[in-house]
């Protein structure tokens, strides 16, 4: 069997599992003409999503009594649209930063189409998801002090690590967009975000249109630090004009 992309292969693994009652790493590696390391990553990702149970050398179906009442909440269509539009700006072999957050995490589903990426993040969830990608990017972690409120690493150590590198792009979200000041946040820890912006040649803010106009007190990034804003088609013409006057590139993701 010729190689398939990751999603196709994992879907076929579940089909085989339902048909056969169990699968082995060795069998799957031969069937898909890929490495056992890749198959183990597939099984790990599928187990994490509650679709199978791993066992030594393979996997078995999830017992019916362990099946959850419903599937995990999927990424919204708007966030998927933002992710596609943002990922279109990433070239093979780019060095990028992905900040913590549910909107930036939606990028992960698009990165499997890129090769040779170097990705820095301050999020454990994003780091773990990056390890499931094929091809797997080179992963860098900021380290630092864990902040439970933002579920990310922050602080001076993280800032020092970031300053040791330079990046092509930063992908970052926002709790609100103040048309006059820039991105705003509920989090009082904004130092790391500003260092991320300093070490990236392009700062890409990913934000859903309903956050435009939300003037939260804490300024995160001023417009002078932002190059590109990716939002959805819900943005009004007045908001669009106001943002374009700030000298940024405004990308409106088409609705699917």
């Amino acid at each position: 069997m010729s190689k398939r992309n990751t999603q196709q292969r994992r879907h076929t693994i579940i089909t085989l599992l339902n048909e056969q009652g169990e699968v082995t790493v060795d069998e799957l590696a031969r069937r898909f003409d890929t490495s056992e390391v890749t198959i183990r990553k597939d099984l790990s990702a599928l187990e994490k999503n509650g679709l199978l149970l791993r066992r030594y050398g393979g996997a078995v179906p999830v017992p019916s009594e362990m099946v959850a009442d419903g599937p995990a909440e999927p990424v919204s269509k708007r966030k998927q649209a933002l992710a596609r539009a943002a990922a279109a700006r990433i070239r093979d072999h780019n060095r990028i930063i992905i900040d913590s957050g549910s909107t930036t995490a939606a990028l992960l589903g698009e990165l499997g189409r890129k090769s040779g990426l170097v990705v820095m993040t301050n999020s454990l969830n994003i780091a773990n998801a990056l390890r499931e990608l094929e091809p797997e990017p080179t992963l860098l972690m900021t380290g630092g002090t864990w902040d439970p409120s933002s579920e990310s690493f922050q602080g001076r150590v993280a800032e020092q690590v970031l300053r040791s590198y330079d990046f092509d792009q930063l992908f970052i979200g926002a709790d609100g967009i103040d048309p006059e000041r820039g991105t705003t946040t509920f989090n009082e820890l904004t130092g790391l975000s500003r260092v991320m912006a300093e070490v990236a040649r392009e700062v890409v803010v990913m934000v859903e249109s309903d956050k435009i106009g939300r003037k939260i007190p804490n300024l995160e990034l001023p417009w002078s630090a932002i190059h590109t804003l990716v939002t959805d088609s819900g943005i009004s013409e007045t908001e669009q004009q106001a943002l374009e006057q700030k000298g940024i590139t405004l990308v409106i993701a088409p609705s699917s």
Side-chain angles (χ1 to χ4, degrees), residues 20 27 47 80 82 94 99 101 141 154 156 217 221 242 245:
Q20 300 173 188
E27 166 205 348
E47 182 180 51
Q80 289 176 352
L82 295 186
N94 269 16
D99 191 22
M141 288 290 294
Q154 302 285 337
R156 290 186 178 180
L221 294 178
Q245 288 176 0

Side-chain angles (χ1 to χ4, degrees), residues 1-3 9 27-35 39:
M1 179 183 288
S2 61
K3 291 185 178 180
R9 188 176 60 248
E27 166 205 348
L28 295 173
R30 290 197 307 270
R31 185 182 186 97
F32 294 107
D33 188 23
T34 190
S35 70
I39 295 300

Side-chain angles (χ1 to χ4, degrees), residues 83-204:
R84 285 192 294 270
R89 308 184 70 80
I90 303 173
R91 297 182 179 180
D92 290 347
H93 306 288
N94 269 16
R95 298 163 60 90
I96 67 176
I97 307 170
I98 302 179
D99 191 22
S100 60
S102 59
T103 303
T104 49
L107 264 178
L108 301 175
E110 304 297 322
L111 296 186
R113 302 181 179 92
K114 312 292 181 178
S115 62
L117 294 181
V118 176
V119 184
M120 170 77 84
T121 186
N122 61 335
S123 164
L124 282 178
N125 289 336
I126 289 176
N128 288 330
L130 286 167
R131 295 177 59 246
E132 306 292 346
L133 294 181
E134 183 190 346
E136 183 178 335
T138 298
L139 172 62
L140 304 174
M141 288 290 294
T142 62
T145 303
W146 180 252
D147 173 45
S149 64
S150 65
E151 295 189 343
S152 64
F153 290 101
Q154 302 285 337
R156 290 186 178 180
V157 171
E159 293 171 13
Q160 289 171 355
V161 169
L162 275 165
R163 288 194 172 102
S164 301
Y165 299 88
D166 64 272
F167 295 89
D168 297 298
Q169 292 156 311
L170 161 65
F171 294 90
I172 188 169
D175 293 319
I177 297 292
D178 185 331
E180 295 302 320
R181 297 189 299 157
T183 66
T184 57
T185 179
F186 293 110
N187 192 352
E188 295 182 356
L189 301 175
T190 59
L192 188 65
S193 298
R194 292 172 183 173
V195 174
M196 287 179 173
E198 289 173 12
V199 299
R201 281 184 279 276
E202 181 186 18
V203 175
V204 182

Side-chain angles (χ1 to χ4, degrees), residues 6-71:
T6 303
Q7 289 184 336
Q8 289 175 322
R9 188 176 60 248
R10 292 177 182 176
H11 182 272
T12 303
I13 288 172
I14 294 301
T15 301
L16 290 169
L17 188 59
N18 291 334
E19 292 173 353
Q20 300 173 188
E22 66 176 320
V23 291
T24 67
V25 172
D26 179 65
E27 166 205 348
L28 295 173
R30 290 197 307 270
R31 185 182 186 97
F32 294 107
D33 188 23
T34 190
S35 70
E36 292 187 1
V37 172
T38 295
I39 295 300
R40 290 192 184 96
K41 287 183 181 180
D42 289 339
L43 298 183
S44 177
L46 291 169
E47 182 180 51
K48 187 175 180 181
N49 289 325
L51 298 173
L52 54 74
L53 287 180
R54 294 182 68 185
R55 55 177 288 181
Y56 182 77
V60 294
V62 179
S64 57
E65 62 269 21
M66 294 178 60
V67 176
D69 293 335

